[in-house]
Every structure is written in C-alpha cells, then in structure tokens.
Amino acid sequence: MEALLRWAAELGVSDSPSAPSPSSCLGRSLLIADFPDAGGRGLAAARDLRRGELVLRAPRAALLTSDRVMDDDHRIASSVASHLPRLSSVQTLIICLLSEVGKGNSSNWYLYLSQLPSYYTILATFNDFETEALQVDEAIWVAQKALRGIRSDWEEATPLMKGLGFKPKLLMFKSWIWAFATVSSRTLHIAWDDAGCLCPIGDLFNYAAPNDDNSSTDEDRDDMMHQETNKMLDQTDFDSSEKLTDGGYEDVNEYRLYARKRYRKGEQVLLAYGTYTNLELLEHYGFLLGENPNEKIYIPLDLDLCMIGSWPRDSLYILPNGHPSFALLCALRLWTTPRNRRKALSHQIYSGSLLSVESELEILKWLVKKCKETLQQLPTTIEFDDNLLVLLCKLQNSTSCITEMNRSIFEQEFAPFFRFHGFKLDCSIHSKLPVRLLRSLERWGLAVQWRCNYKRTLTKCIVHCKNLVHELSLQQNQQ
C-alpha cells in the first residue's frame, strides 16, 4: 500500500485542497483506515472536513480507462476496433483490464492492480446454493439473469482475447467475472466512456446511501453559508475546490471528490455511488446495508393489478418502514373499484385520496393477507435466519460452532451446504474451513441477510396495515 501511495502521488493523485503533496497522495485530508463493521478498508478524515470540501483529486493520467490502455497498446486498439460495434464499453474495459493483468509487473498499473481484491461477492459470483439461499423468486431471477448476461459477454469476447494471445488463465470465465466485478463495483463515472474509469485511491471510498437529510443540519447550513462567502470573495477558488456534490471529472482535467457532509477527524469519509435498493447493491457492488433508506420490497402481484393504471411495475413496492408506496396504494384502490366506476373515480384515486373507509379496509386487509402468504411460502422464518447468521459468523472462525447447532438448522441449511461443496466436516476444535468455503460462507451470509431484511419489511407492513385497520374501524364505529 505504501508503494501504491507513492506511485499515485507521482501521477498527481492528492488529497490536498491546494497543491499536491510532494511525498504521498494522502495525509492532508484523508488516511487509509480499517472499519470492520462499516465496509472494511476505507478512508478516514485526517482532519475536520467541511461539507462540500475537496478531499481527493486524480488527474486523467492516473485513471485506468479503455482509451488510455489502447493508446499504449495499438494491438488491443485495432482488435477492439475490428469488433465494434458488437463489443460494449464494459466488454472493452474488461479486455483492457485483463490485458494489463496479463502484463504482470511490466504493466504501468501493476501497483494498483496488485491491490485489487482477489474475489468479489456480487450476485453473479453466487453459486447455485448461494443463489437459492435468497429464497425470493425475484432475487433469484436477478442473480441468474446477471450471470447469464456476463457469460454471454465472455463468450462473445473470447475469440478476440485468444487472437491477442491472452494466457489460458485469463481466458477462463473465472477471470472474466473477476474483471467484470472489478468494473461493476469500482468504476467512477466519466462522460466519454459508459464503462467508467478505475481511479486508484479514489475507489477506496466506501458507500453511503443518498439521503436528503444530509443537508438538514445546522453545521451543514453553516458550511453552505461559508461557501457562499468564499464564492463572493474568490469565485475561482470556490468553483475549483468546493462543491456540494460527491464528485466528478471536471474541466480542470482531473477527477475531483468532495466531502458529502461534515466529518470529524477519524470518521470514515463516504461517497454516495447512487440510489440503490439492497438487491441492487448486492448485484452491482457485493454488499448490502442493514438500514437502507432507498430499500424497496416487491411482493407477488396479480398481472391485472400490475397493468392497471399508468404506474410502472417497479413503482409498486413496500418501503423499509412497511408502508406501501403511493403507486401501490393507488393501484390497489383502482383495482378494487368496480370497472364501471373506475373512470369516474380515477381523478380522486390518482390524487391519493381514499374512496371510502370500507374500500380502504378491504385494501389493507388484502395487503395483510398477501404479506402473510408471501412469508408462509418462504422456507424459513426470520428467527431461523437470525440464528443462522450468528452461526455463519462463528463458522468463519472455527468449525467448532457446529456442535452448538440445533438439529433443524444443521439438517436444513448446513448439511446441504457441505454436500454441495463435497466437503466432509471435521468438528475438531482447531479445525478451519478451506478458503473456497469461507468465501462461500460470506456470500451465503449476504443471501441470508438479504432475505431476512425482506421478511422484516413484510412483517412491518403487516403491523402497519393492521394498525390502520384498527384506526379506521374505530372511526367507522364512531360514525
């Protein structure tokens, strides 16, 4: 890591708000730190930071992009050009990335590439056991679809890579999916390439979900006033060093990243990559959040309900607090309205107004029934999943926790897991699992965590709707 920091500093990567540091690219605003309970390795504030303050800059020369690699290697450039427009921008960047990996320490990017993770936990890396552990049909379908798409891209690009003389190991699907996961989880947006760019040091930031509350504190408003003052006093300095965004590639020919809120010294500095549900985070980045303000849970709906009105299917969801979305509630109101009255009442429904206490009670009771049915169709309960997560965590350190399991958990979950991997369990106290199983345990744990969150949201919806039914029933009785 020290060698990587020196190399990045030579390329002009710096956390200095003004002039780049002469010896290291970090130490002025950021420090590399470990956050075991919040993303692992990340970047901490080296000092108190204001919201919108510039914390990292990376010139174009430091960005690993398709055009940069092809400028240095005309064989790749001509091969890619001969396969356009069939190749996507992501396929092109993956080919360029694998080409640099194949060069070993002769690659200009060797110090950066050697620090990349050796494996990822995005959905496409899940094996059949881990995918089925998601339990929910929608999530299983998303994982399977992602894997099919990546495999199709690999098959399409393989002849080109063979023509370029890639080593056999780099031609394997395993290498392709590693490169895809690197691109999916670590690239930053650039205007000239849809695949994005890999930004050394810049990809060490961990994720924070976008949230409108970030600008609501008194301290943040003070920072905004401070920035407005700077803008009036020195327009050039404000425009180049302070913004209220997470970052982007700017006219000064460098990628610039900014503090998304006020940070105290030692706190982890986070970036918002975008607005994602937990399933989307798992699909693209390989992690999920325990509390995700952008979470959406979908339940099985009748086709005529999904097609009624002008609401798209992805707007019919349940929020993390258990409340149905505005579109789902409106769609249910229209769906339960007799066909001959829908046109007359549509304006009232689209405005979000309830039609009557009786119809609202019918809708809420339907939601309770649907959520209960969905939960009952899943193989395990929330309580079972919670116990399983505890055991999965313990098993990553020692197989001795197997003796703590009740028979149900072992037979339903762990015995099939070991059979799937063809592994004979040794329960001796000092026994450790092989690396391949530890990685599978990590992915399995993510699947269990996702389905557990899914079930909790359905449970919250049941409670929320029952409370509303009680309130409306009281109103109805009083009338």
Side-chain angles (χ1 to χ4, degrees):
M1 181 57 69
E2 291 179 1
L4 174 65
L5 292 175
R6 289 193 298 269
W7 170 81
E10 291 172 0
L11 290 177
V13 179
S14 174
D15 66 340
S16 173
S18 52
S21 174
S23 58
S24 173
C25 66
L26 295 183
R28 303 286 184 87
S29 301
L30 303 168
L31 293 170
I32 294 175
D34 188 46
F35 301 92
D37 299 323
R41 185 172 67 179
L43 294 171
R47 55 182 175 81
D48 290 350
L49 300 173
R50 298 190 309 274
R51 178 173 181 253
E53 185 175 357
L54 176 66
V55 293
L56 191 72
R57 54 175 70 186
R60 184 162 182 169
L63 307 178
L64 199 168
T65 60
S66 297
D67 57 350
R68 175 71 189 281
V69 172
M70 291 190 290
D71 284 345
D72 295 337
D73 194 327
H74 298 298
R75 286 183 66 248
I76 293 180
S78 59
S79 294
V80 168
S82 67
H83 284 74
L84 294 176
R86 284 179 296 159
L87 285 181
S88 68
S89 58
V90 171
Q91 285 174 300
T92 301
L93 182 55
I94 289 174
I95 291 168
C96 290
L97 175 59
L98 289 174
S99 172
E100 291 300 315
V101 170
K103 293 176 183 177
N105 57 16
S106 65
S107 168
N108 294 331
W109 308 96
Y110 174 73
L111 287 171
Y112 170 65
L113 297 175
S114 64
Q115 291 291 328
L116 291 176
S118 59
Y119 76 102
Y120 292 91
T121 55
I122 63 170
L123 272 184
T125 65
F126 281 33
N127 60 36
D128 290 344
F129 180 89
E130 296 150 9
T131 299
E132 290 297 325
L134 292 163
Q135 294 186 350
V136 180
D137 288 344
E138 174 212 357
I140 292 172
W141 178 82
V142 168
Q144 293 172 339
K145 180 185 177 185
L147 182 59
R148 286 195 301 270
I150 296 169
R151 185 175 291 278
S152 176
D153 285 350
W154 167 68
E155 291 171 348
E156 189 175 47
T158 296
L160 184 154
M161 294 189 293
K162 285 182 177 178
L164 288 169
F166 277 26
K167 298 174 183 177
K169 183 178 180 180
L170 295 177
L171 294 173
M172 295 171 63
F173 180 60
K174 182 179 179 180
S175 295
W176 181 271
I177 204 168
W178 171 86
F180 174 88
T182 299
V183 170
S184 176
S185 63
R186 305 184 78 85
T187 50
L188 300 176
H189 170 74
I190 49 177
W192 67 89
D193 191 336
D194 291 339
C197 68
L198 289 166
C199 179
I201 310 304
D203 59 5
L204 291 176
F205 286 101
N206 286 320
Y207 174 80
N211 193 322
D212 291 339
D213 291 340
N214 284 335
S215 61
S216 63
T217 67
D218 292 338
E219 290 180 339
D220 284 337
R221 282 192 287 271
D222 289 343
D223 287 342
M224 294 172 71
M225 293 176 63
H226 172 77
Q227 291 168 9
E228 288 298 327
T229 302
N230 280 356
K231 184 177 180 180
M232 291 184 290
L233 295 175
D234 188 345
Q235 181 71 34
T236 303
D237 181 66
F238 175 85
D239 287 342
S240 65
S241 66
E242 293 187 312
K243 290 189 175 181
L244 299 181
T245 60
D246 284 3
Y249 190 84
E250 301 181 3
D251 293 338
V252 288
N253 291 325
E254 62 183 21
Y255 215 101
R256 291 188 164 191
L257 297 167
Y258 301 85
R260 66 192 315 268
K261 66 173 189 176
R262 177 174 288 207
Y263 291 99
R264 299 301 181 192
K265 182 178 179 180
E267 285 185 322
Q268 182 172 195
V269 181
L270 302 165
L271 288 185
Y273 313 149
T275 301
Y276 296 100
T277 66
N278 270 340
L279 187 60
E280 290 168 336
L281 286 174
L282 203 51
E283 178 184 3
H284 300 295
Y285 298 100
F287 67 88
L288 47 79
L289 301 175
E291 298 291 334
N292 186 352
N294 303 303
E295 178 68 317
K296 300 174 184 177
I297 290 299
Y298 297 91
I299 55 175
L301 298 173
D302 296 343
L303 183 61
D304 56 341
L305 172 56
C306 293
M307 298 182 66
I308 201 169
S310 59
W311 301 281
R313 171 68 182 89
D314 61 4
S315 68
L316 309 178
Y317 55 83
I318 298 172
L319 293 161
N321 60 5
H323 296 197
S325 67
F326 177 83
L328 177 57
L329 204 54
C330 291
L332 285 168
R333 287 168 179 160
L334 190 61
W335 187 53
T336 54
T337 300
R339 290 181 181 273
N340 61 350
R341 300 192 63 203
R342 286 177 182 174
K343 186 174 182 180
L345 296 174
S346 61
H347 177 73
Q348 186 177 348
I349 291 171
Y350 275 77
S351 70
S353 302
L354 60 85
L355 300 178
S356 67
V357 172
E358 291 78 10
S359 66
E360 200 72 5
L361 285 171
E362 180 185 354
I363 290 168
L364 294 170
K365 289 176 181 178
W366 182 91
L367 269 173
V368 169
K369 181 182 177 183
K370 176 60 71 172
C371 290
K372 284 184 175 180
E373 288 175 349
T374 303
L375 284 171
Q376 289 168 358
Q377 290 170 2
L378 298 175
T380 58
T381 64
I382 297 175
E383 293 74 22
F384 182 98
D385 293 344
D386 282 336
N387 290 331
L388 179 58
L389 283 172
V390 172
L391 291 169
L392 284 170
C393 183
K394 289 182 178 179
L395 192 56
Q396 292 184 55
N397 299 317
S398 172
T399 59
S400 61
C401 77
I402 291 292
T403 58
E404 303 175 23
M405 293 185 196
N406 62 49
R407 190 174 183 83
S408 173
I409 291 181
F410 183 82
E411 291 181 351
Q412 188 168 344
E413 297 283 346
F414 280 90
F417 170 78
F418 291 124
R419 284 198 301 270
F420 178 87
H421 289 282
F423 181 76
K424 290 186 177 181
L425 184 64
D426 175 9
C427 292
S428 62
I429 194 167
H430 299 296
S431 176
K432 292 286 185 179
L433 294 176
V435 172
R436 65 183 180 89
L437 260 66
L438 289 174
R439 292 177 178 178
S440 183
L441 283 176
E442 184 177 359
R443 295 189 295 266
W444 183 14
L446 288 169
V448 176
Q449 187 180 348
W450 183 87
R451 80 194 194 200
C452 204
N453 289 346
Y454 179 91
K455 294 168 189 176
R456 282 200 175 92
T457 300
L458 291 183
T459 303
K460 290 178 182 178
C461 185
I462 292 171
V463 173
H464 169 70
C465 291
K466 281 185 173 180
N467 288 338
L468 289 179
V469 167
H470 179 69
E471 292 174 9
L472 288 173
S473 297
L474 287 177
Q475 292 178 17
Q476 193 177 40
N477 293 334
Q478 289 172 356
Q479 293 174 355

